[in-house]
Amino acid sequence: MDHFLYHNGILHAEDVAIPEIAAMVGTPFYVYSCATLTRHYHLFEEALAGLDHLVCFAMKSNSNQAVIAHLAGLGAGMDVVSGGEYLRARAAGVPGERIVFSGVGKTRDEMHMALTGGIRQFNVESEPELIALSEVATALGVTAPITVRVNPDVDAKTHEKIATGKSENKFGIPIAKAPAVYALAASLSGIAVVGIDVHIGSQLTDLEPFRQAYQKVRELTLRLRAEGHDIRRLDLGGGLGIPYERNNSAPPLPTEYGALIREVFHDLEVEVEIEPGRLISGNAGLLVTSVIYVKEGEGRDFLILDAAMNDLVRPAMYGAWHDIVPVKEPAPGDEQRPFDVVGPVCETGDTFAKQRQMTPVAAGDLVAFRSAGAYGAVMASEYNTRPLIPEVMVKGDQFAVIRARPTFDEIINRDTVPSWG
Ligand SMILES: *Cc1c(COP(=O)(O)O)cnc(C)c1O
């Protein structure tokens, strides 16, 4: 559920009419709903109630300072995957002890940054990384709390580009090798083992892969404890999917996911961390765009929008579906016909949807992409020298620009032409 509904025939973000925002900031833009972010964060809090737990928002899904600050204000921790994200979390006021550091290629500079700035744990993904971290921590005279990310070799049954838990993926340490890596960790200076980490992929629409992975983590917990390791914390990753196609999908609910976690781990006396990104931010955002032209082609009609693949790359990159709705509510009996919905970028891949059934819209009309709050703005680029689009946040009947559109001068002046001597 989200807070983007029609009132009096016009799509609103909470209590703000979308055309009102469009008139002020111009199109295209992203708009996020505070109430939806809050609601989704609370769904996880409720799902894990009674367990010792921390919900760490996966910042890579949406790292705007206002979004992070809002979630941090509710009590969320953060899952970061780069030094830049670490600094964003700290700038938004998140204390180090609520930040977990994930990622397959952490550099020594990033380790140094997190160790001096404060960190809850590093989720270590390889032996060379473990050794590097030991060296950096030892040189600083501190101890780095770690989990080892294990790869449980389960099929997440999701898009191949966002599956991470099969042995052929680059992520984590094969679970069979984990005992040896924990033994290495225990022998290194500057390293303190605190738990185990697993993350098998994104946009999972079935609980079964989670069950298989978590069962393996449970067995590993018992084994590592028997071998003398202090496994007091389990980071269970993110990845719960959302209904991108509203009328045609029903992924598991956070309550069902929470029930599974309870079932597998309730008797282990562990602290549970989860790292949801998409389920918190995805349906909390729209991409709002204007129709530039309706072009009648041979046998198909094109809706040419002012948003493009550089603003929202998921359809081009993953063949992803987004519901696309007119901002002016269609009347109940309005006919629908198929359109190819495209952007202005000079690539055939700049196609959001092919032969999508829509009620006809005209040049100048506003349309909105639903479920655009995750992996939208964060993956945007300035390809074709199209400025990064503004982000707007709504709270009740108020709205604020939380990232302004850069000017063309700002973009052009980032380049320098060398004056060769
Ligand atoms: C991407 C990622 C997440 C978040 O995945 P969602 O599908 O957005 O919930 C969590 N943890 C790690 C390590 C990730 O790489």
Side-chain angles (χ1 to χ4, degrees):
M1 208 211 87
D2 60 45
H3 295 75
F4 301 109
L5 300 171
Y6 291 102
H7 299 301
N8 302 322
I10 299 293
L11 189 64
H12 281 60
E14 303 190 26
D15 300 328
V16 180
I18 295 294
E20 195 188 321
I21 306 173
M24 179 155 154
V25 304
T27 57
F29 62 90
Y30 280 102
V31 56
Y32 309 127
S33 151
C34 281
T36 312
L37 290 168
T38 301
R39 181 187 142 79
H40 292 158
Y41 173 75
H42 279 150
L43 287 177
F44 283 113
E45 278 295 324
E46 285 158 24
L48 299 181
L51 290 176
D52 189 4
H53 70 273
L54 182 66
V55 177
C56 294
F57 175 60
M59 270 177 58
K60 75 176 198 274
S61 71
N62 188 322
S63 58
N64 188 291
Q65 289 290 290
V67 171
I68 302 162
H70 179 75
L71 291 168
L74 300 173
M78 295 292 148
D79 171 43
V80 305
V81 293
S82 70
E85 283 193 356
Y86 176 82
L87 292 176
R88 273 184 181 276
R90 298 290 283 137
V94 184
E97 72 258 23
R98 288 184 165 265
I99 303 175
V100 301
F101 205 139
S102 299
V104 74
K106 301 173 201 78
T107 64
R108 285 167 190 258
D109 284 347
E110 288 172 322
M111 294 169 181
H112 187 279
M113 178 191 295
L115 283 170
T116 49
I119 192 78
R120 181 178 184 81
Q121 89 216 14
F122 292 89
N123 295 330
V124 171
E125 300 218 17
S126 67
E127 284 161 290
E129 181 192 338
L130 186 59
I131 290 163
L133 183 59
S134 164
E135 288 170 5
V136 175
T138 305
L140 283 169
V142 298
T143 301
I146 66 129
T147 71
V148 174
R149 176 169 175 179
V150 294
N151 185 324
D153 194 23
V154 302
D155 183 354
K157 300 201 190 86
T158 183
H159 190 279
E160 58 167 337
K161 288 188 182 159
I162 49 176
T164 60
K166 285 290 282 175
S167 53
E168 72 246 32
N169 301 133
K170 69 181 175 184
F171 298 98
I173 281 166
I175 198 160
K177 259 186 83 181
V181 176
Y182 276 89
L184 172 66
S187 75
L188 292 173
S189 66
I191 297 287
V193 168
V194 298
I196 305 173
D197 170 50
V198 69
H199 171 74
I200 57 174
S202 202
Q203 187 52 19
L204 271 72
T205 53
D206 182 359
L207 284 184
E208 206 40 44
F210 284 119
R211 181 187 298 279
Q212 288 170 19
Y214 293 172
Q215 198 55 44
K216 290 187 180 187
V217 168
R218 179 189 164 86
E219 285 155 23
L220 183 63
T221 303
L222 298 174
R223 165 150 184 203
L224 292 177
R225 281 180 174 173
E227 289 169 4
H229 300 287
D230 180 14
I231 306 299
R232 57 177 185 271
R233 190 181 284 171
L234 299 178
D235 182 335
L236 301 175
L240 196 57
I242 63 171
Y244 280 104
E245 217 177 324
R246 229 149 250 246
N247 294 327
N248 201 13
S249 60
L253 301 171
T255 41
E256 297 169 300
Y257 176 65
L260 170 67
I261 291 174
R262 254 170 238 288
E263 182 192 319
V264 178
F265 298 111
H266 69 96
D267 60 339
L268 284 190
E269 290 187 15
V270 282
E271 181 182 8
V272 167
E273 293 165 350
I274 55 170
E275 303 169 343
R278 190 187 308 266
L279 203 142
I280 290 179
S281 57
N283 282 331
L286 299 180
L287 167 61
V288 179
T289 165
S290 302
V291 177
I292 307 178
Y293 299 115
V294 182
K295 172 165 142 179
E296 295 185 2
E298 218 159 295
R300 59 178 67 210
D301 294 343
F302 295 93
L303 219 56
I304 303 175
L305 306 177
D306 66 358
M309 63 188 289
N310 68 297
D311 305 309
L312 177 67
V313 78
R314 298 189 64 260
M317 189 152 146
Y318 312 119
W321 175 288
H322 286 267
D323 282 347
I324 306 170
V325 298
V327 167
K328 190 165 166 297
E329 188 174 23
D334 278 1
E335 54 123 13
Q336 294 201 323
R337 56 192 179 85
F339 289 93
D340 280 13
V341 184
V342 304
V345 161
C346 302
E347 301 254 355
T348 301
D350 186 23
T351 298
F352 291 116
K354 283 196 167 139
Q355 296 297 287
R356 179 71 64 91
Q357 288 291 335
M358 294 186 58
T359 49
V361 286
D365 286 355
L366 297 172
V367 298
F369 287 73
R370 290 195 182 273
S371 312
Y375 308 105
V378 285
M379 293 178 106
S381 76
E382 288 178 338
Y383 188 37
N384 281 209
T385 307
R386 294 169 46 86
L388 289 182
I389 66 178
E391 293 172 276
V392 174
M393 184 174 253
V394 169
K395 183 170 194 220
D397 60 2
Q398 310 174 70
F399 71 93
V401 175
I402 58 173
R403 189 180 69 194
R405 194 190 306 276
T407 65
F408 286 113
D409 278 348
E410 283 166 346
I411 296 173
I412 294 165
N413 289 336
R414 283 205 305 258
D415 298 357
T416 34
V417 179
S419 50
W420 304 115

